[in-house]
Amino acid sequence: MKYIKLAMQRHQEGLLMNAAYDAIKKEKISFRLFYLFHGNLSESTINEMDPSIGPVEIVHLSPADMKDIAARAERDYSEGKMLQMLADGCICMGVKFNRQIVAHCWNNLKNCKQNPFGLNFNLPQTYVYNFGMRTLKRYKGNGLAPYLKFHNYRYLLQMGKKKYLGYIM
């Protein structure tokens, strides 16, 4: 309550934003801003291009691949969580270079629930929720993300999906 009074006093002094920031900091309140977006898979502006590191392979990753992904620091989920996502019907696409997974992304065909915001809702039949795209640090800057995105979208279109959802933080 004392922070509200302080905020009112600061407002009169023209320092409301500073007081609000101080009150939020002291009360340990945090905000996570994000933007949920959607688009048409067929209208993607991504062109197929070969990554600059050389020949790579696009693969549909299996439960056996989750141990490899889970062993990295550049991941979002534990091996158990990734195995559960596969069991729940999610699809994980990856890029292999010299037989090593160097990039991957996730697709949920049923709902939007793997996100840091607590969102959880079912998707229409023609939608897919695309999330968790990662490239190993040492391979960043080689065009792997757009290459994976292009092939991932093409695969989803072949499955009959038309639109995607994603988020930006």
Side-chain angles (χ1 to χ4, degrees), residues 51-65:
S52 61
I53 60 172
V56 296
E57 178 185 8
I58 295 289
V59 292
H60 190 189
L61 298 176
S62 70
D65 296 310

Side-chain angles (χ1 to χ4, degrees), residues 48-62 65 68 72 92-105 134 139 142-152 154:
E48 182 175 21
M49 56 182 238
D50 290 328
S52 61
I53 60 172
V56 296
E57 178 185 8
I58 295 289
V59 292
H60 190 189
L61 298 176
S62 70
D65 296 310
D68 180 36
R72 314 175 184 165
C92 189
M93 299 293 286
V95 177
K96 285 191 175 183
F97 175 66
N98 290 336
R99 296 186 305 260
Q100 179 189 13
I101 300 167
V102 295
H104 70 279
C105 69
R134 295 287 173 260
Y139 293 101
N142 288 296
L144 294 174
Y147 186 78
L148 175 57
K149 195 171 186 181
F150 173 85
H151 287 281
N152 185 52
R154 190 165 74 178

Side-chain angles (χ1 to χ4, degrees), residues 27-45:
E27 293 298 324
K28 296 184 180 167
I29 298 171
S30 64
F31 295 94
R32 292 186 114 174
L33 300 176
F34 68 95
Y35 177 64
L36 185 65
F37 61 91
H38 72 96
N40 293 318
L41 291 169
S42 62
E43 293 176 5
S44 173
T45 58

Side-chain angles (χ1 to χ4, degrees), residues 40-142:
N40 293 318
L41 291 169
S42 62
E43 293 176 5
S44 173
T45 58
I46 301 165
N47 296 320
E48 182 175 21
M49 56 182 238
D50 290 328
S52 61
I53 60 172
V56 296
E57 178 185 8
I58 295 289
V59 292
H60 190 189
L61 298 176
S62 70
D65 296 310
M66 298 304 111
K67 187 171 191 163
D68 180 36
I69 294 173
R72 314 175 184 165
E74 299 132 330
R75 63 168 168 77
D76 295 318
Y77 307 104
S78 67
E79 180 181 2
K81 175 68 175 168
M82 290 186 287
L83 290 171
Q84 185 61 53
M85 289 190 307
L86 289 174
D88 290 345
C90 289
I91 296 171
C92 189
M93 299 293 286
V95 177
K96 285 191 175 183
F97 175 66
N98 290 336
R99 296 186 305 260
Q100 179 189 13
I101 300 167
V102 295
H104 70 279
C105 69
W106 286 92
N107 301 285
N108 191 323
L109 308 175
K110 298 176 186 175
N111 56 47
C112 177
K113 71 177 185 178
Q114 291 85 6
N115 59 73
F117 318 110
L119 297 175
N120 187 354
F121 55 89
N122 292 329
L123 296 171
Q125 186 71 25
T126 58
Y127 274 76
V128 61
Y129 171 54
N130 184 248
F131 65 99
M133 183 174 277
R134 295 287 173 260
T135 303
L136 289 177
K137 279 185 182 179
R138 66 180 167 197
Y139 293 101
K140 288 187 180 216
N142 288 296

